[in-house]
Amino acid sequence: MSKILLAGGAGYIGSHTAVELLNAGYEVVTADNYSNSCPEALKRVEKITGKQIKAYELDIKDIKALENVFEENDIDSVIHFAGLKAVGESVEKPVLYYRNNIDTTLSLLECMEKYKVRNIIFSSSATVYGEENPVPYTEQMKRGTCTNPYGWTKVMMEQILEDAAKAQKELSVVLLRYFNPIGAHPSGMIGEDPQGIPNNLMPFVAQVAVGRREKLTIFGKDYDTPDGTCRRDYIHVVDLAKGHVKAIEYAQKNKGTEVFNLGTGTPYSVAEIVDTFERVNEMKINHVYGERRAGDLPESYANADKALEILGWKTEKTLEDMCRDTWNWQKNNPNGYK
Ligand code: NAD
Ligand code: WQD
C-alpha cells in the first residue's frame, strides 16, 4: 500500500488523519518540528491503530532535512498540514506566518518535483472565502478578502499550488477547505491540545469544563442570526480525517487542481454549542456575554455537495458526538498530552 507523508502530522488534524490512513491500510511517515504538537500524539496513534509510524523531527522549511525524508522513503502522496494557525498571533507576527506557511509549501513542492511525487493534499480553510461571499460557500466562488495574515497565507498557498499544477501536468493538487474542526477520536487518546489560552471556541469550552479556565466569554450577541450569536459549520475531526483518505484516492486517479469544502453544511450558533455541550455532558459551562471579536463574520458554513458528488464523502457524526468526544478527550487528559 502506498506511503503518505504527513507534513505537520503530529498536530490535531494530522494525528486524526494518521489514524484513518493507517486503518485504511496506508503507510504513514510524518515530518514535524513539534512547534505546536508533541511526539506523544504519534505514540497514541500507534496505540489506537496497532500500527507503526515513521516519524521525523524537522522543520519543513529546511529543504536539506526534508530531502532526506524523500530520499529514505518512497513517498506516494503528501498531505500538507504544517502551518501556524493562530489568527490573532498572525496579526502580531505577520512575517513569521508568511515565512513559515509559504516556505513550508515551497519546500514540499520543490522536493516533490525532485523526487517525482505527484500528489499533494493541502489543508486550506473556509477563511479563503473572505468577507464578500454569501453563505453557504460553494467551491466555485472567488477567493475573497481576508481579515488577517493567517487567512492570506491560505489564499497565497492555494494560488502557489494551483500554479504548480498548471506548470507540471502530472501534478495532482487537492485543496481541502476545512470549516470548524472540533471533537476528538472516540478513544479519548488523541485530541486538540492548544498551547496557552485557546483561541478557538471548543477547546476553550473544554478547558472551562475541566476547571482550567474560570469562564467562557461569548463574543457578541447582537449579530443578525437567529439567537444573535455567530454561526459556524462545526465538523467532527474524525469525519474531517476520513475526507483526507478520500482525497488521496482522488488525487491518485486525477491530475490538476480540485477544491473541496469539508464541512457539514449545517451551521450552529455559539449559544447552541454551549447548550449542547452542557446537555450531552450533564454539566454547566460558566459563561458570560462580551463584546464582538474583531474580524468575526456572523456566519460561515459550507455547501458540502461537491465532496459528496465527487469524493463520495459526507459527514456522519452529530454535534452531540462532537461535544461528547471533546469532553471524553479533555477529562481523560486534563492537561493535554503533558
Ligand atoms: P496544529 O498546529 O495542531 O498542526 C500543525 C502541525 O504543523 C503541528 O504539529 C506543528 O508542530 C507543525 N508545524 C508547523 N510549522 C512547521 C514547520 N515549519 N515544520 C514542521 N512542522 C511544522 O494545527 P491543526 O489544527 O492540526 O491544523 C492543521 C492544518 O489545517 C494547518 O495548516 C491549519 O492552518 C489548517 N486548518 C486548521 C483549522 C482548525 O481550525 N484547526 C481550520 C482550517 C485549516
Ligand atoms: C467560533 C465562534 C467566535 C472563542 C477560526 C479561524 C478559521 C479556522 C477555524 C483555521 C466565533 C466564538 C470563540 C471564545 C467565542 N482556522 N468564540 N468565545 O473564528 O470561526 O475560525 O478557526 O483555518 O480560519 O478564523 O473559530 O473557534 O475561534 O470561533 O464566543 O472564547 O466562537 O466569536 O463566533 P472561527 P473559533
Side-chain angles (χ1 to χ4, degrees):
M1 205 45 162
S2 37
K3 226 180 230 189
I4 316 294
L5 172 63
L6 307 193
Y12 172 47
I13 301 169
S15 56
H16 286 82
T17 301
V19 169
E20 299 308 323
L21 287 170
L22 289 165
N23 284 343
Y26 291 95
E27 286 181 54
V28 170
V29 176
T30 59
D32 203 303
N33 63 359
Y34 305 119
S35 58
N36 196 38
S37 59
C38 58
E40 175 63 19
L42 297 173
K43 296 212 180 77
R44 306 252 183 120
V45 171
E46 290 180 331
K47 269 192 201 132
I48 292 170
T49 59
K51 298 187 175 158
Q52 295 220 312
I53 291 173
K54 194 160 174 193
Y56 289 82
E57 179 171 359
L58 60 91
D59 191 320
I60 312 276
K61 300 196 292 300
D62 178 349
I63 192 127
K64 281 272 160 279
L66 188 61
E67 273 182 4
N68 178 48
V69 178
F70 283 80
E71 192 67 51
E72 290 186 3
N73 298 279
D74 184 13
I75 305 289
D76 173 83
S77 307
V78 171
I79 311 185
H80 179 16
F81 300 101
L84 298 174
K85 62 163 184 175
V87 169
E89 186 184 52
S90 80
V91 176
E92 283 153 31
K93 300 176 183 168
V95 177
L96 175 73
Y97 271 64
Y98 287 114
R99 168 68 81 195
N100 191 72
N101 291 2
I102 290 170
D103 260 8
T104 51
T105 308
L106 297 174
S107 293
L108 285 166
L109 284 170
E110 282 178 8
C111 280
M112 287 175 64
E113 193 172 6
K114 181 163 177 188
Y115 289 89
K116 301 190 169 42
V117 175
R118 305 304 191 195
N119 309 316
I120 181 163
I121 316 298
F122 175 61
S123 300
S124 191
S125 167
T127 196
V128 303
Y129 289 107
E131 297 181 297
E132 300 88 348
N133 286 304
V135 285
Y137 299 134
T138 52
E139 291 86 346
Q140 80 270 15
M141 288 173 175
K142 278 201 160 62
R143 290 185 281 257
T145 307
C146 295
T147 52
N148 57 77
Y150 167 74
W152 283 119
T153 68
K154 292 294 178 197
V155 169
M156 290 173 192
M157 291 184 284
E158 285 199 356
Q159 185 70 51
I160 290 166
L161 287 157
E162 273 178 24
D163 289 345
K166 266 186 217 146
Q168 297 172 47
K169 298 294 174 215
E170 52 305 323
L171 199 61
S172 176
V173 167
V174 181
L175 306 176
L176 298 179
R177 293 182 181 156
Y178 309 159
F179 281 69
N180 287 60
I182 59 171
H185 191 266
S187 64
M189 288 170 67
I190 55 172
E192 190 168 11
D193 181 20
Q195 312 298 305
I197 303 169
N199 302 296
N200 296 111
L201 175 64
M202 197 49 128
F204 204 106
V205 169
Q207 291 195 9
V208 173
V210 84
R212 278 170 69 182
R213 312 265 157 215
E214 190 206 334
K215 60 173 187 291
L216 169 76
T217 301
I218 296 181
F219 299 138
K221 62 169 176 182
D222 59 350
Y223 284 98
D224 186 15
T225 58
D227 65 17
T229 65
C230 294
R231 298 204 302 170
R232 295 287 180 273
D233 188 336
Y234 296 95
I235 171 171
H236 196 296
V237 65
V238 171
D239 278 332
L240 186 72
K242 289 179 176 165
H244 293 72
V245 180
K246 295 286 190 186
I248 292 278
E249 289 166 9
Y250 178 86
Q252 289 173 335
K253 291 192 210 105
N254 295 276
K255 300 288 159 220
T257 300
E258 203 54 81
V259 188
F260 297 101
N261 287 338
L262 295 186
T264 66
T266 305
Y268 288 102
S269 73
V270 180
E272 284 174 306
I273 295 291
V274 174
D275 285 352
T276 308
F277 194 97
E278 290 185 331
R279 176 169 52 78
V280 168
N281 297 316
E282 299 177 344
M283 61 168 67
K284 284 285 161 211
I285 298 297
N286 192 12
H287 63 275
V288 293
Y289 284 89
E291 295 298 308
R292 290 182 176 198
R293 183 173 67 178
D296 276 346
L297 296 173
E299 295 192 298
S300 162
Y301 57 97
N303 174 316
D305 294 349
K306 187 176 172 189
L308 177 59
E309 274 161 32
I310 297 180
L311 301 179
W313 171 91
K314 67 175 169 47
T315 59
E316 289 166 352
K317 304 222 178 228
T318 63
L319 183 60
E320 281 76 10
D321 297 328
M322 303 183 214
C323 291
R324 191 180 308 111
D325 291 339
T326 298
W327 178 231
N328 187 39
W329 150 253
Q330 190 73 76
K331 75 168 187 254
N332 287 317
N333 303 272
N335 295 308
Y337 289 109
K338 278 180 221 67

